[in-house]
Amino acid sequence: MLLKGRNLVKSEDFSVEEIDQILSLSQNIIENPSKYSRVCEGKLLATLFYEPSTRTRLSFESAMCRLGGSVVGFSEPNSSSVSKGESLGDTIRTVSCYADAIVMRHPVAGSAEEATKYTEVPFINAGDGGNQHPTQTLTDLLTIKSLKGSLENHTIGLCGDLKNGRTVHSLVKSMSRYKGIKFIFISPDELKMPKYIKDAIQEQGHAYYETDNLDEVLGSLDILYMTRVQRERFENQEQYEKLKNYYILNKSKMQNARKDMLVMHPLPRVNEIDVDVDDDKRAVYFKQAKYGMFVRMALIMKLLGIKEVQNDLEEVAID
Ligand code: NCD
């Protein structure tokens, strides 16, 4: 199927082959950024952020600007007609009249799916409540592929708030489509990976192991994916206070990890990774943020049907 004109709501919306196309275009852009600096001239991306964001919004906006396109949108819903009571459907219909693609983050799980009923242009979910965050997953896949060489045969530990963290939901669903992946879910009892995600990976024939003890499994991991305890998803703030510092990865714990283990984190970090880990070459979370911009450049190009630049003189259609 063509990627041109499609929506991205959940990480399974694109096939493994389609994801491969996006990752390889991202790698091409990383190698030749200047060749892509005008391919989206005249195109407009709308970023509608109903929830706070640093990396996702700014990496999308940087991505579009670095492709030569332009950006409109809001980062604060109170500055839009949402504050006058406008429905999500009416907002999306209206923005569809102006922009060539829409990126939306919203606090309600399922709102991205809902928005696709109204959009006339490619729609990208930038996080819907505790549900999914598929472009963070593209970021994570590009990071793993670039730094580990392959998306197959890894033991990946996901640690922290696995109940409310949308990044880990999308990542696990996506990684479960590759061969030889072992999942280790590391969380306190209160923040365990939801059953529907565990069922989905079992259906793909993968085993998983659950524990609340990071030290017990750290030495067996190829990748450690840390997450923050999602304060905004807690109804009971006392429970958040009790759980927020459950895991703190620091330099001394890192001595027990493999020499080539990657420490990833979608960011923002709170206390779960001590700053004394930042200088460790295995800590790749800021690199990961940079990969996020390149993969979003590739995603925008694909959904808009922009041709891949082959060399200085010639352009070849990729879809
Ligand atoms: C994540 C998110 O918004 O879900 N951040 C991001 O997009 N990189 C992770 C988080 O907020 O913990």
Side-chain angles (χ1 to χ4, degrees):
M1 265 229 281
L2 285 182
L3 280 166
K4 182 181 174 184
R6 300 259 294 277
N7 300 320
L8 177 58
V9 170
K10 51 190 190 305
S11 58
E12 316 89 274
D13 285 346
F14 293 168
S15 67
V16 169
E17 293 73 29
E18 288 164 343
I19 286 176
D20 258 9
Q21 284 180 35
I22 293 171
L23 301 186
S24 82
L25 176 56
S26 313
Q27 284 169 327
N28 206 341
I29 296 171
I30 292 171
E31 282 162 25
N32 307 286
S34 61
K35 287 190 181 168
Y36 291 88
S37 63
R38 296 175 62 175
V39 293
C40 281
E41 242 172 30
K43 299 286 184 191
L44 193 58
L45 179 74
T47 55
L48 314 182
F49 277 68
Y50 294 80
E51 246 193 2
S53 169
T54 300
R55 271 146 297 270
T56 306
R57 185 172 65 83
L58 295 184
S59 66
F60 262 116
E61 295 186 355
S62 310
M64 193 53 170
C65 293
R66 285 181 183 276
L67 294 169
S70 309
V71 180
V72 292
F74 54 80
S75 55
E76 170 47 68
N78 289 335
S79 69
S80 73
S81 286
V82 172
S83 64
K84 299 181 190 166
E86 184 169 59
S87 71
L88 180 64
D90 285 359
T91 302
I92 297 294
R93 261 196 188 133
T94 306
V95 177
S96 280
C97 301
Y98 309 143
D100 299 295
I102 299 176
V103 176
M104 183 187 86
R105 168 170 289 185
H106 198 283
V108 178
S111 55
E113 191 71 59
E114 174 73 11
T116 61
K117 292 187 199 152
Y118 303 97
T119 189
E120 302 285 336
V121 295
F123 173 90
I124 303 169
N125 177 12
D128 62 325
N131 186 32
Q132 281 236 7
H133 192 346
T135 67
Q136 180 63 45
T137 295
L138 291 175
T139 301
D140 301 338
L141 297 180
L142 179 61
T143 306
I144 295 169
K145 189 161 185 199
S146 302
L147 301 179
K148 284 276 183 200
S150 158
L151 292 168
E152 296 180 352
N153 302 317
H154 300 303
T155 300
I156 173 164
L158 299 111
C159 177
D161 189 348
L162 307 185
K163 177 180 174 204
N164 301 300
R166 55 194 172 199
T167 61
V168 287
H169 300 162
S170 290
L171 180 60
V172 167
K173 282 207 150 192
S174 198
M175 287 293 283
S176 68
R177 304 195 292 184
Y178 296 91
K179 274 192 278 178
I181 301 297
K182 289 194 194 116
F183 294 102
I184 302 192
F185 299 141
I186 309 150
S187 71
D189 244 18
E190 296 88 336
L191 301 178
K192 279 168 106 170
M193 185 62 83
K195 186 172 177 308
Y196 75 93
I197 305 270
K198 293 188 282 197
D199 288 348
I201 63 172
Q202 267 182 331
E203 273 167 34
Q204 300 275 356
H206 290 285
Y208 65 84
Y209 175 71
E210 286 183 295
T211 177
D212 71 344
N213 188 342
L214 175 60
D215 298 323
E216 172 204 2
V217 293
L218 187 60
S220 65
L221 304 178
D222 301 311
I223 298 160
L224 172 60
Y225 195 98
M226 294 294 292
T227 62
R228 129 189 112 84
V229 178
Q230 308 274 301
R231 179 173 57 188
E232 67 276 35
R233 312 271 178 243
F234 279 70
E235 274 163 23
N236 175 346
Q237 284 303 305
E238 256 171 49
Q239 199 185 31
Y240 168 73
E241 291 299 325
K242 193 181 112 199
L243 296 170
K244 67 177 183 187
N245 292 329
Y246 204 92
Y247 300 106
I248 300 181
L249 182 70
N250 57 26
K251 199 173 182 159
S252 91
K253 281 189 199 281
M254 284 296 286
Q255 287 174 355
N256 301 321
R258 289 185 180 163
K259 297 260 172 298
D260 60 350
M261 184 189 81
L262 299 183
V263 184
M264 297 175 63
H265 192 308
L267 303 175
R269 126 179 89 182
V270 187
N271 289 326
E272 58 281 354
I273 303 181
D274 195 295
V275 289
D276 72 5
V277 178
D278 294 359
D279 292 336
D280 191 310
K281 67 176 184 355
R282 295 169 289 183
V284 299
Y285 25 90
F286 290 109
K287 260 190 203 163
Q288 188 182 348
K290 191 161 182 177
Y291 281 121
M293 180 183 74
F294 291 114
V295 90
R296 290 178 173 107
M297 289 171 81
L299 176 67
I300 292 167
M301 280 182 65
K302 289 285 187 183
L303 299 188
L304 293 183
I306 305 287
K307 292 167 181 181
E308 183 164 358
V309 179
Q310 287 290 325
N311 61 40
D312 288 341
L313 299 172
E314 193 191 355
E315 289 192 348
V316 174
I318 37 176
D319 281 327

